[in-house]
Amino acid sequence: MPIVYALCYLLSFLPLSLLYCISDLCYIVVYYLIGYRKKVVIQNLMHAFATKTIHDRKQIEKNFYRRLCELLLEQIKACTITSQQLLQQITLEDIEVIEQFYKQNRSIILVSGHFCNWEWVANALALQTSYTICAGYQRLHHKGIDRMALHIRTRFQRKAIPMVALLRYMTTYKGSLQATTLLIDQAPLHKRNGYSTTFLAQSTTVTLTAAKLAQKYNHPIFYIQTERIKRGKYRVRPILLTETPAQLSVQEIAERYTRRLEADILLNPACWLWSHRKWK
């Protein structure tokens, strides 16, 4: 077992209250001492919120780093969190909107961004829906962190399929009904899989993977809206983007989920992952 994964696994047995105390210490180290990707964060916020004052952007910046450290410790906790503990943290509303398609014998696609705690949310969905949750993911460079992420993504009978193999998997799959989960704010792996639009006041290439899969298989596609209620507590609601994606262009579908994510970020900007290099 890689040393990083082993340490995180042991740490995950601590109660959330203590992990959040560690998170507060991490914030001081990460923000004030290390300045983790601070240039990237400042530049992203400046471009996305050019009309805001420097003071307002600085407040978003600090709140983002607090959320980032919370997220780090929450992801560590996800290694061993029980189903009962998880469902105390996640409130899933309007689940019947998803279940109606299960009764119709239709698989679905669920999309979200790097917003709030997407891994906790996916695991909560696995526990509260009839579908088998299948996550499409990109492997991480650090082997220990990738091993931990894969462990988290395969808990509670979830499946994890590398993005490069996802299309082949969906084409040949013959098992139970699935809800395929995809992150829509990752950079496209290939230029031909991108769609140019405006996102957070910037020219952005949006990945079309979710839109193409929804259209190809005519799977109803949902945007998973997540709201941070307070530390460690999230409210989740699936929003149906279209139940007949075969009748839309992939660009129309992509616009629908891009605009939903953008609206959530504008409402709660500190909950998005500003440290990733979305824009070159």
Side-chain angles (χ1 to χ4, degrees), residues 126-156:
L127 290 168
Q128 293 185 279
T129 68
S130 302
Y131 285 98
T132 297
I133 303 294
C134 175
Y137 79 99
Q138 295 182 17
R139 287 191 174 95
L140 302 174
H141 295 298
H142 191 287
K143 289 184 179 180
I145 297 176
D146 183 69
R147 176 102 176 257
M148 184 178 78
L150 189 59
H151 169 71
I152 293 170
R153 290 167 180 162
T154 53
R155 298 197 67 206
F156 309 114

Side-chain angles (χ1 to χ4, degrees), residues 128-259:
Q128 293 185 279
T129 68
S130 302
Y131 285 98
T132 297
I133 303 294
C134 175
Y137 79 99
Q138 295 182 17
R139 287 191 174 95
L140 302 174
H141 295 298
H142 191 287
K143 289 184 179 180
I145 297 176
D146 183 69
R147 176 102 176 257
M148 184 178 78
L150 189 59
H151 169 71
I152 293 170
R153 290 167 180 162
T154 53
R155 298 197 67 206
F156 309 114
Q157 298 185 330
R158 281 175 68 195
K159 297 180 181 178
I161 309 298
M163 291 299 296
V164 293
L166 186 60
L167 178 59
R168 183 173 68 252
Y169 172 81
M170 292 182 67
T171 302
T172 59
Y173 180 75
K174 303 296 183 182
S176 59
L177 294 176
Q178 290 195 144
T180 303
T181 63
L182 295 164
L183 293 170
I184 55 177
D185 53 359
Q186 293 177 314
L189 293 175
H190 305 287
K191 288 183 179 180
R192 64 179 180 274
N193 194 40
Y195 164 61
S196 296
T197 187
T198 300
F199 178 66
L200 294 174
Q202 300 171 79
S203 178
T204 306
T205 302
V206 175
T207 180
L208 290 174
T209 300
K212 286 182 175 180
L213 291 175
Q215 186 197 62
K216 178 179 176 64
Y217 298 104
N218 202 31
H219 289 345
I221 181 170
F222 289 83
Y223 173 75
I224 301 302
Q225 184 179 67
T226 305
E227 179 186 1
R228 180 183 181 274
I229 305 303
K230 61 180 181 179
R231 176 174 265 189
K233 298 283 187 178
Y234 302 97
R235 182 185 294 123
V236 179
R237 185 164 65 95
I239 297 175
L240 180 63
L241 300 178
T242 176
E243 64 177 287
T244 55
Q247 297 178 13
L248 302 175
S249 69
V250 291
Q251 291 80 10
E252 287 177 307
I253 299 170
E255 274 294 322
R256 291 188 183 188
Y257 56 62
T258 300
R259 298 284 77 86

